[in-house]
Amino acid sequence: MKEKSIDIVLPCFNPIKGWEQQVFVSLQKLQSLMPNFKFYIILVNDGSKQGISEVEINFLKQNISNFKFINLKENQGKGAALKKGFELSENEYSIFTGIDFPYLGTNIVAMVQKLEQNADIVIGIRNKTYYSKVPPLRSLLSS
């Protein structure tokens, strides 16, 4: 079976400690669920003032063969970060999620299957348990 390619755009802003490990582990899990796909990570830092260092970026560069890092100097908002990431997308499929990979790998598999069935766009919806783990203001803004 021919290998297919997916760009995963990850916007981030002031991520929590250990975020780079989460990205790496989540990508490994996703790769094990979808062995016929090659994943490309496009990480867009949206002007973070903390949480992103050369150490974390180097870890990802060393451990993810298909990794691009875009550093926006000023915070421009999630929409601008996504736009920049998608501008650099070159593969058959492009998806975005958070650096905490809030969707289960099986959900991403189902989304890609819909794309393979010629859907133009697929939208994932987080369940209520996700919002019980985020700060109250974030939950309010997301509802």
Side-chain angles (χ1 to χ4, degrees), residues 43-54:
L43 177 70
V44 183
N45 175 29
D46 187 22
S48 296
K49 302 298 181 209
Q50 62 189 23
I52 293 184
S53 72
E54 197 172 314

Side-chain angles (χ1 to χ4, degrees), residues 20-105:
E20 77 285 0
Q21 296 289 329
Q22 177 68 42
V23 168
F24 177 66
V25 168
S26 296
L27 180 61
Q28 285 184 311
K29 287 178 184 175
L30 196 53
Q31 189 66 71
S32 71
L33 290 170
M34 302 174 72
N36 295 324
F37 284 84
K38 188 171 190 175
F39 292 92
Y40 293 77
I41 299 295
I42 303 171
L43 177 70
V44 183
N45 175 29
D46 187 22
S48 296
K49 302 298 181 209
Q50 62 189 23
I52 293 184
S53 72
E54 197 172 314
V55 171
E56 284 107 358
I57 299 306
N58 284 338
F59 171 81
L60 293 172
K61 285 180 180 177
Q62 292 169 4
N63 290 287
I64 300 173
S65 59
N66 304 306
F67 177 78
K68 292 180 187 176
F69 176 64
I70 296 91
N71 188 33
L72 302 178
K73 299 290 184 195
E74 298 291 324
N75 178 259
Q76 299 174 30
K78 187 174 185 177
L82 288 172
K83 182 179 178 192
K84 189 64 171 173
F86 283 117
E87 285 173 0
L88 297 174
S89 180
E90 300 174 350
N91 289 298
E92 184 175 5
Y93 301 116
S94 299
I95 62 175
F96 78 88
T97 189
I99 59 172
D100 59 344
F101 280 76
Y103 298 102
L104 298 173

Side-chain angles (χ1 to χ4, degrees), residues 3-20:
E3 184 177 71
K4 297 181 182 181
S5 300
I6 299 176
D7 287 315
I8 301 178
V9 178
L10 300 174
C12 69
F13 178 73
N14 293 337
I16 62 170
K17 185 177 171 102
W19 67 270
E20 77 285 0

